[in-house]
Amino acid sequence: MKKKFQLSLLDGAGKTGGFSENELKYALDCLSTAQSGQPQYADSLGWLSVSQWAGENWLKKYLEIASHIRSDADAFVVVGVGGSNQAARAVVDALDPPEGSPEIIWAGNTLSAYEVQRLLDKLKSKKSVYIDVIAKNFETLEPGVAFRTLRTFLGDTYGSGWHKRVIVTGTPNMQLHDMSEKYGFTFLPFPENVGGRYTALTPVGLLPMAVAGFDICALVQGAADMESLLRSDSSQDNMALRYAALRNYLYRAGYSVEMLSFFEPRFFRFAKWWVQLFGESEGKGGLGIFPSFASYSEDLHSIGQFVQEGTHCLFETFIDVENPDVSLAPVGDDIDDGFEYLKGLDYFHINRASYQGTLEAHSRILPCFNITVESIDEYTFGQLFYFFMFSCYLSGLILGVNPFDQPGVEAYKKRMFQKLGK
Ligand code: PA5
């Protein structure tokens, strides 16, 4: 791999000491199954081989469409919810776009009238708006109703040519595709063999990232390098194996909550992606680790108390960024404020001391995974997306659930649609 990506486990209290030979053998069998992909999940494994939806020709196509939009738009509205927007949002939120890029705006993820009105008011101040409607199953209420509202906005604002401003990422031969043919929208396939939360490396995630001006080729490279590593190493050193096997061991030992913790608040949206990935993939049949996250150092002043001394139900997975991307020192003045000890230190070092202190303190009490990445950039996001998607698949296998369905969300939908008269 071009950049560092390391997983370690800090377990000062020895909570994983009982992990047995048999458990390892079972996990290794699951690893070998996940590396080749199970035939019964063939219709959900399109992400396993990165090149399937992010090969050279696909990337060229995404970049061509993105370049056209970038040359004309000052706002690009991504209409989608759950897996249809989280990965792109994670990247767009964390990285700084090149100057002059269109603003990426998120829609189709709320039913709040206030938020939709706020969106429309914001769009009124833009000169040239394009939208990308992303929906695998175009029955989901949030993107469906947002598309209605935005079509009206585009028609009222741009007149008869409004449809040229619509990109649709939908399932071939289904409703969004038919609408594209009929009304002349630009169509991209939502991969039929990839479920929403596994679509980071497909047109669903990559087009919005490219429109925002990010280097999707570097991101895909990071994912492809991670794929080569995780799918070829069949030993107990495989990082996904260690992570998936041990988190399952901890779950069986009573640790039913995992907290993804980070000291760069820019990972907030990435954490939302991670929560969806693990929550929807594993939480079924009365099983599963509850995924949560903490943005430190801020959350040390709230949830930190619980983590250190509360119910022993959680373990932590830290994301540690090794290199600073900004150098900034809190220069003092001649006022005696009690912070003289910071003299000569950079924010990066102060933040790192906070991270190291936290990891040391927490890992004495609860098991802590630590993932070290070199920097926050496109390549790293590619590594992270693939590492967690593969680990999630493997972890689901070890747990004994289908990591690709989400039957539980039908219960509320059925009732909601009844109330709406569908
Ligand atoms: O991971 C999943 O499959 C889901 O969370 C979907 O992404 C989400 O429900 C949105 O579905 P759709 O793209 O069909 O609107």
Side-chain angles (χ1 to χ4, degrees), residues 79-86 108 134-144 169 171 190 194-199 204 276-277 280-281 404-406 409 412-413:
V79 183
V81 71
S84 291
N85 83 3
Q86 304 262 38
I134 309 175
K136 180 162 191 166
N137 157 14
F138 188 56
E139 284 184 356
T140 309
L141 188 54
E142 291 88 341
T169 307
T171 305
F190 192 123
V194 187
R197 56 192 179 274
Y198 291 85
T199 54
V204 172
Q276 185 201 354
L277 178 69
E280 246 184 351
S281 299
F404 302 116
D405 65 358
Q406 55 282 334
V409 297
Y412 93 84
K413 279 189 190 168

Side-chain angles (χ1 to χ4, degrees), residues 23-98:
E23 281 164 314
L24 177 61
K25 196 177 160 309
Y26 175 67
L28 283 166
D29 285 348
C30 290
L31 174 66
S32 131
T33 306
Q35 282 172 331
S36 41
Q38 294 153 286
Q40 78 256 39
Y41 295 141
D43 61 356
S44 304
L45 284 169
W47 57 272
L48 190 60
S49 170
V50 171
S51 61
Q52 191 171 141
W53 290 100
E56 217 175 298
N57 289 340
W58 279 119
L59 287 177
K60 219 169 126 201
K61 191 171 172 70
Y62 309 149
L63 287 168
E64 261 168 31
I65 298 175
S67 149
H68 167 71
I69 298 167
R70 284 177 60 76
S71 68
D72 189 39
D74 64 345
F76 183 67
V77 184
V78 179
V79 183
V81 71
S84 291
N85 83 3
Q86 304 262 38
R89 199 165 185 183
V91 173
V92 170
D93 232 53
L95 304 181
D96 297 323

Side-chain angles (χ1 to χ4, degrees), residues 383-401:
Q383 291 175 308
L384 286 166
F385 283 137
Y386 196 89
F387 173 77
F388 281 119
M389 290 193 297
F390 186 81
S391 299
C392 185
Y393 173 28
L394 177 56
S395 186
L397 286 190
I398 296 173
L399 182 63
V401 298

Side-chain angles (χ1 to χ4, degrees), residues 1 3-10 226 229-230 237-240 242-243 317-322 352 355 368-375 380 383-384 387-388:
M1 267 192 294
K3 289 190 166 194
K4 184 170 183 176
F5 190 103
Q6 255 174 15
L7 174 91
S8 51
L9 174 74
L10 289 96
M226 184 59 80
L229 183 73
L230 299 183
D237 294 332
N238 185 306
M239 287 187 292
R242 281 163 49 217
Y243 177 57
T317 297
F318 285 84
I319 303 183
D320 163 37
V321 184
E322 205 171 53
R352 234 178 140 64
Y355 152 70
C368 294
F369 289 104
N370 190 58
I371 292 175
T372 303
V373 298
E374 212 170 297
S375 48
T380 300
Q383 291 175 308
L384 286 166
F387 173 77
F388 281 119

Side-chain angles (χ1 to χ4, degrees), residues 284-297:
K284 54 197 67 162
L287 300 170
I289 297 168
F290 182 81
S292 65
F293 65 88
S295 180
Y296 293 153
S297 60

